[in-house]
């Protein structure tokens, strides 16, 4: 007898307990070699005063088993409660969100009967790092943080996934035509890593046309890899067009831990009625079985589930008079799947997770030794110009400050407003004053932090309200900053 793999299980809120029980019943009947350990997370825990939704003792189980099967959670309304999912992703280093989107036509209506794509979304960086500030009465900012190791890790994961799961193509989605440095890095690293996988096709699309194509020609996609925010949006677009929001599962994968859950929420409107569809969580559990190296059991469960679907045994959410033969509740649906363990579908392509093919995908960003020569050559000083001092007057004051730094440009929201501005009504209340060691970007000389400090005390003496500074660097002589529009 093989040793059972301990897994941590959280039943969750709303319909969570019902669909988790149904899922565990199916796994048990399929003889999955798992040993569930139950932890409490979610609404009750939030209301006990744990603002992250997870009590201290739950971490012990998670860190030991390294696998979490999680029911949906209700985040209580009102301030102060942090998203449990974000906490888990960040604390456990779950850098990849893997969301398969598959059509189950005609049993689940969709315009696109042949969708079979997987979205691999970066999970830890981007605008979701949660670094936001209010800078003035009117202006707020959110920082988009993109790192080289972060890009390498997720993009390598996407190619490794494609290879292991016999996928043919990886498509990268980014907006590098606008965000040349952050999204540009993602695209560049995609090209670098794609070259290491010559057997897998690759292409890149700008996120806007990419999203439009996912919505209108989803069948042309195979594996899609993208940044956190875009991935969040396209995952929902894809789930919606396959029509199976209630059927899809997702995995959050890290090198040490992984979490599996349905993509839908806790559905409080139907909780406790024994009518919820457990398929989303069951599909997540199939991903989990593959992850913990029980591919035969994953195949057994998925095939029984597909057979149940094509036999027309449906829960209310996908019931139709044309394709359904029997309307069942949560428990009866689970019983129908259990009854079909060992059978294979005939309409759908049977699942076949190959034994030995899915050794855990472990991906790290390269331990990159930075060799580039980094030189401080200037500074952007942002001010809250609430008095709306006109740009030319502001420039005249700043030019008196002296020192090795020269005022090059003043911009507002990325647009040049001095010198030679052609904007009729510039927005003056949030200004970025750029100082460089030379006007000519090719002649930049190194400056010192003390030069910036002197400049800042000059701003202070002029009574200007500095809200932020951003150092300007070159790396091996290449500019490490973008120019303001019109600069
Ligand atoms: P939801 O997904 O819970 O429900 C949307 C609609 O789909 C409802 O009509 C619901 O009855 C139906 N539905 C969802 N899952 C179903 C299933 N398995 N079977 C049959 N019908 C199903 O989304 P919501 O109403 O926006 O959110 C409810 C709660 O869930 C909120 O507190 C939200 O924060 C939370 N939520 C949690 C997660 C998570 O834990 N990963 C994800 C999304 C939402």
């Amino acid at each position: 007898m093989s040793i059972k793999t301990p897994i941590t299980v959280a039943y969750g809120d709303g319909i969570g307990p019902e669909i988790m029980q149904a899922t565990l019943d199916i796994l048990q009947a399929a003889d999955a070699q798992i040993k569930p350990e139950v932890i409490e997370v979610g609404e009750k825990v939030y209301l006990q005063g744990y603002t992250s939704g997870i009590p201290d003792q739950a971490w012990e189980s998670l860190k030991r088993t390294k696998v979490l099967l999680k029911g949906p959670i209700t985040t209580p309304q009102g301030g102060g409660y942090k998203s449990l999912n974000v906490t888990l992703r960040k604390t456990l280093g779950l850098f990849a969100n893997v969301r398969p989107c598959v059509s189950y036509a005609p049993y689940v209506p969709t315009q696109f009967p042949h969708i079979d794509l997987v979205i691999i979304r970066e999970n830890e960086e981007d605008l979701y790092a949660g670094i936001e500030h209010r800078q003035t009465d009117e202006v707020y900012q959110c920082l988009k943080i993109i790192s080289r190791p972060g890009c390498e890790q997720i993009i390598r994961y996407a190619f490794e996934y494609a290879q292991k799961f016999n996928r043919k193509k990886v498509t990268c989605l980014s907006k590098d035509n606008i965000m040349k440095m952050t999204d540009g890095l993602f695209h560049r690293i995609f090209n670098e890593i794609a070259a290491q996988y010559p057997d897998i096709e690759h292409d890149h699309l700008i996120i806007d046309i990419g999203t439009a194509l996912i919505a209108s020609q989803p069948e042309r996609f195979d594996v899609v890899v993208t940044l956190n925010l875009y991935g969040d949006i396209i995952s929902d677009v894809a789930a919606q067009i396959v029509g199976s929001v209630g059927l899809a599962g997702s995995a959050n994968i890290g090198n040490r831990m992984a979490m599996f859950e349905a993509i839908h929420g806790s559905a409080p409107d139907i909780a406790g009625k024994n009518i919820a569809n457990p398929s989303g969580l069951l599909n997540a559990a199939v991903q989990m079985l593959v992850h913990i190296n029980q591919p035969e059991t994953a195949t057994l469960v998925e095939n029984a589930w597909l057979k149940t679907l094509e036999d027309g045994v449906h829960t209310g959410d996908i019931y139709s008079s044309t394709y359904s033969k029997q309307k069942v509740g949560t428990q009866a649906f689970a019983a129908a799947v259990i009854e079909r363990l060992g059978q294979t579908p005939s309409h759908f392509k049977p699942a076949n997770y190959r034994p030995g093919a899915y050794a855990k995908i472990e991906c790290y960003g390269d331990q990159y030794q930075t060799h580039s020569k980094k030189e401080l050559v200037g500074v952007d000083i942002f001010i809250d110009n609430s008095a709306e001092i006109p740009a030319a007057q502001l420039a005249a004051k700043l030019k008196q400050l002296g020192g090795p730094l020269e005022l090059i440009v003043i911009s507002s929201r990325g647009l040049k407003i001095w010198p030679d501005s052609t904007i009729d009504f510039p927005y003056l209340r949030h200004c970025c004053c750029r100082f460089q060691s030379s006007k000519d970007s090719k002649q930049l000389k190194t400056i010192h932090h003390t030069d910036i400090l002197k400049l800042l005390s000059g701003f202070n003496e002029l009574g200007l309200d500095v809200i932020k500074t951003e150092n300007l660097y070159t790396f091996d002589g290449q500019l490490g900053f973008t120019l303001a529009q019109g600069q």
Side-chain angles (χ1 to χ4, degrees):
M1 215 183 79
S2 61
I3 298 169
K4 294 190 170 181
T5 305
I7 61 163
T8 304
V9 166
Y11 278 74
D13 302 315
I15 58 171
E18 300 158 67
I19 59 172
M20 183 61 81
Q21 198 51 58
T23 300
L24 291 176
D25 289 348
I26 296 167
L27 295 187
Q28 194 185 13
D31 202 22
Q33 296 301 298
I34 55 168
K35 197 170 149 216
E37 294 180 7
V38 176
I39 59 165
E40 180 104 55
V41 297
E43 199 174 20
K44 265 196 235 144
V45 178
Y46 278 118
L47 298 175
Q48 278 165 20
Y50 291 95
T51 52
S52 58
I54 179 163
D56 301 339
Q57 58 274 26
W59 292 109
E60 189 279 319
S61 169
L62 272 179
K63 289 193 170 157
R64 187 162 32 76
T65 68
K66 303 184 174 16
V67 178
L68 171 64
L69 182 63
K70 178 178 146 298
I73 300 297
T74 303
T75 310
Q77 296 293 316
Y81 299 110
K82 290 190 198 127
S83 155
L84 175 64
N85 269 12
V86 175
T87 303
L88 288 171
R89 278 178 202 155
K90 286 195 172 165
T91 316
L92 305 178
L94 308 177
F95 65 88
N97 180 265
V98 180
R99 207 188 260 199
C101 303
V102 183
S103 330
Y104 300 105
Y107 307 97
V108 180
T110 169
Q111 278 177 278
F112 308 102
H114 304 295
I115 304 173
D116 181 7
L117 67 93
V118 180
I119 295 170
I120 296 184
R121 157 189 170 196
E122 199 289 315
N123 237 352
E124 295 181 299
E125 302 195 335
D126 198 1
L127 291 158
Y128 284 40
I131 308 169
E132 293 190 292
H133 302 94
R134 180 174 181 173
Q135 296 183 314
T136 76
D137 247 4
E138 297 172 329
V139 177
Y140 299 72
Q141 76 166 8
C142 175
L143 292 186
K144 174 160 172 146
I145 304 286
I146 303 292
S147 75
R148 178 170 254 278
C151 296
E152 282 170 353
Q153 193 170 35
I154 190 70
I155 293 166
R156 188 168 299 287
Y157 183 88
F159 280 94
E160 286 289 314
Y161 181 97
Q163 203 165 54
K164 290 220 159 71
F165 287 83
N166 228 354
R167 299 266 174 176
K168 306 287 175 247
K169 186 165 107 180
V170 180
T171 301
C172 171
L173 301 180
S174 80
K175 187 82 183 170
D176 63 333
N177 54 333
I178 303 293
M179 283 164 275
K180 297 189 166 69
M181 304 205 84
T182 47
D183 285 32
L185 178 69
F186 193 78
H187 187 179
R188 222 168 45 246
I189 293 175
F190 176 77
N191 289 344
E192 281 172 22
I193 292 179
Q196 298 164 23
Y197 295 83
D199 298 338
I200 299 169
E201 273 180 67
H202 68 278
D203 61 0
H204 171 269
L205 294 168
I206 299 294
I207 181 67
D208 31 16
I209 186 64
T211 308
L213 287 174
I214 287 178
S216 60
Q217 299 172 29
E219 284 126 332
R220 59 178 271 165
F221 292 91
D222 195 348
V223 174
V224 174
V225 65
T226 191
L227 296 157
N228 206 341
L229 172 65
Y230 311 140
D232 194 8
I233 297 167
I234 60 164
S235 296
D236 274 13
V237 170
Q240 194 64 34
I241 55 165
V242 296
S244 59
V245 178
L247 307 190
S250 85
N252 287 279
I253 306 278
N255 286 323
R256 290 177 300 283
M257 321 267 303
M259 171 174 87
F260 302 86
E261 63 178 343
I263 69 167
H264 61 71
S266 56
D269 52 332
I270 57 165
K273 296 184 178 160
N274 186 34
I275 56 174
N277 189 343
S279 300
L281 189 58
L282 186 64
N283 278 320
V286 168
Q287 284 180 280
M288 178 191 77
L289 289 170
V290 174
H291 177 81
I292 61 174
N293 203 19
Q294 297 187 23
E296 292 98 333
T297 318
T299 301
L300 189 72
V301 171
E302 187 170 324
N303 282 336
W305 176 74
L306 289 169
K307 184 78 171 78
T308 309
L309 210 58
E310 64 182 37
D311 282 352
V313 183
H314 296 160
T315 44
D317 55 314
I318 58 165
Y319 186 83
S320 80
S321 52
T322 322
Y323 295 107
S324 305
K325 296 208 177 76
Q326 203 187 338
K327 188 176 188 173
V328 290
T330 314
Q331 282 172 14
F333 182 82
V337 176
I338 290 170
E339 223 174 85
R340 287 165 179 77
L341 285 168
Q343 299 182 27
T344 44
S346 47
H347 170 82
F348 295 119
K349 186 171 162 236
N352 182 16
Y353 297 102
R354 293 160 294 138
Y358 309 101
K360 206 173 123 229
I361 304 177
E362 223 170 281
C363 289
Y364 296 90
D366 284 349
Q367 289 306 306
Y368 185 71
Q369 298 295 319
T370 173
H371 295 303
S372 41
K373 189 170 172 218
K374 177 180 168 194
E375 287 176 274
L376 182 64
V377 295
V379 64
D380 279 345
I381 300 179
F382 292 78
I383 60 166
D384 179 352
N385 183 19
S386 54
E388 297 192 43
I389 303 168
Q393 268 182 43
L394 193 58
K397 284 179 188 239
L398 295 177
K399 276 178 159 291
Q400 296 164 11
L401 292 178
L405 285 160
E406 194 180 342
L407 180 68
I408 305 296
V409 64
I410 302 176
S411 59
S412 179
R413 299 184 299 180
L415 276 174
K416 183 179 79 167
I417 57 172
W418 178 91
D420 311 323
S421 170
T422 50
I423 305 166
D424 285 344
F425 301 101
Y427 181 72
L428 292 173
R429 301 176 72 112
H430 184 269
C431 291
C432 170
C433 311
R434 172 163 292 181
F435 291 83
Q436 294 178 186
S437 55
S438 164
K439 236 191 193 100
D440 182 350
S441 294
K442 295 196 183 71
Q443 303 289 326
L444 293 166
K445 292 182 288 294
T446 305
I447 57 150
H448 302 284
H449 285 95
T450 43
D451 299 323
I452 296 176
L453 291 174
K454 272 186 215 137
L455 203 55
L456 284 172
S457 69
F459 270 69
N460 193 37
E461 279 155 27
L462 290 172
L464 297 170
D465 180 9
V466 174
I467 51 178
K468 160 188 163 114
T469 65
E470 195 76 52
N471 291 348
L472 304 179
Y473 294 102
T474 56
F475 294 81
D476 289 337
Q478 302 283 320
L479 297 190
F481 48 95
T482 50
L483 302 181
Q485 261 168 14
Q487 186 182 350

